[in-house]
Amino acid sequence: DAGITQSPRHKVTETGTPVTLRCHQTENHRYMYWYRQDPGHGLRLIHYSYGVKDTDKGEVSDGYSVSRSKTEDFLLTLESATSSQTSVYFCAISDLLSGNTEAFFGQGTRLTVV
Amino acid sequence: QKEVEQNSGPLSVPEGAIASLNCTYSDRGSQSFFWYRQYSGKSPELIMFIYSNGDKEDGRFTAQLNKASQYVSLLIRDSQPSDSATYLCAPTGAGSYQLTFGKGTKLSVIP
């Protein structure tokens, strides 16, 4: 299994509070992604990173920010959580340099905003 | 906006039958096509990938690709109850950073 760890695995937070989710990899893969998964919507890309300090927006980036100060860590921050951000969040990594674009996923973080 | 369409299902097949899962995509630049399986409450895992037109077989799984029709499918032969999961299609472009997924098809294999 690819070495990807998400933390926390579960979190309940209140509306308006900031929340940071962490994704840690031990594979030295260049590309890292944050997705959210909701019933009826599938996996939707929030933000992705193609290198240290290199990030870009995905299709549902509003209300989210990311940072990547080290190859192994990719942080997702909800600046002020809202109930619409209740979801399961998945981190993924890939290594395009190998010619493959397959992604490996972390275990997921279930976030509930009350 | 890249579109990936999958029938959400549920697709129910009896044990031992062939399950056929279909996916259409809008980006003609897509060159790599991945199928992921996701069990309920778990993360997606890669089961097949295909790059060239035609069929690719791996055990009980066969991926079929028709780039002219922008269509990719996954056949599961001798379906087992353990195949019951949601199957996600993910086409990607050459050198693309972004992985775009379909919403997935839920497969239920009935014993």
Side-chain angles (χ1 to χ4, degrees):
Chain A
D1 289 345
I4 312 168
T5 304
Q6 291 185 231
S7 59
R9 295 291 313 280
H10 302 271
K11 186 171 182 66
V12 179
T13 192
E14 293 186 348
T15 299
T17 60
V19 177
T20 295
L21 308 183
R22 181 182 184 233
C23 178
H24 179 78
Q25 61 143 331
T26 58
E27 304 296 322
N28 200 34
H29 281 4
R30 181 176 177 183
Y31 300 92
M32 300 186 75
Y33 310 84
W34 276 108
Y35 290 88
R36 60 178 291 174
Q37 188 172 40
D38 306 287
H41 290 279
L43 280 164
R44 292 182 292 174
L45 183 64
I46 304 171
H47 282 280
Y48 63 99
S49 170
Y50 46 96
V52 173
K53 297 185 180 180
D54 291 324
T55 65
D56 207 347
K57 297 178 179 180
E59 64 175 302
V60 290
S61 60
D62 288 347
Y64 301 95
S65 62
V66 291
S67 65
R68 191 169 178 198
S69 58
K70 299 184 289 184
T71 298
E72 56 266 35
D73 289 326
F74 193 32
L75 304 180
L76 176 71
T77 298
L78 291 64
E79 301 290 347
S80 178
T82 67
S83 59
S84 65
Q85 294 176 312
T86 293
S87 186
V88 178
Y89 292 85
F90 286 102
C91 174
I93 63 174
S94 68
D95 184 15
L96 291 178
L97 292 177
S98 70
N100 299 319
T101 53
E102 62 187 283
F104 302 95
F105 285 83
Q107 318 96 307
T109 295
R110 184 173 295 276
L111 176 68
T112 303
V113 183
V114 298
Chain B
Q1 181 84 15
K2 300 175 183 177
E3 305 257 336
V4 182
E5 298 290 337
Q6 294 183 257
N7 187 328
S8 62
L11 173 65
S12 294
V13 299
E15 184 174 355
I18 296 175
S20 179
L21 307 166
N22 304 317
C23 173
T24 60
Y25 59 94
S26 64
D27 183 8
R28 287 195 170 273
S30 298
Q31 295 193 0
S32 306
F33 303 85
F34 299 93
W35 282 99
Y36 288 81
R37 178 177 62 200
Q38 186 176 23
Y39 292 115
S40 181
K42 302 295 185 181
S43 57
E45 57 179 337
L46 182 70
I47 55 171
M48 283 284 290
F49 61 89
I50 186 168
Y51 301 128
S52 303
N53 276 330
D55 296 359
K56 178 181 179 182
E57 187 174 317
D58 184 0
R60 296 187 296 113
F61 299 96
T62 299
Q64 299 176 316
L65 175 61
N66 183 327
K67 290 185 180 180
S69 300
Q70 296 175 251
Y71 175 90
V72 58
S73 65
L74 179 70
L75 301 179
I76 306 175
R77 291 183 300 281
D78 188 23
S79 295
Q80 301 297 309
S82 59
D83 295 325
S84 298
T86 297
Y87 291 80
L88 305 168
C89 169
T92 62
S96 172
Y97 304 142
Q98 296 194 35
L99 306 176
T100 302
F101 289 84
K103 295 180 181 179
T105 298
K106 185 173 183 178
L107 173 66
S108 180
V109 181
I110 312 301

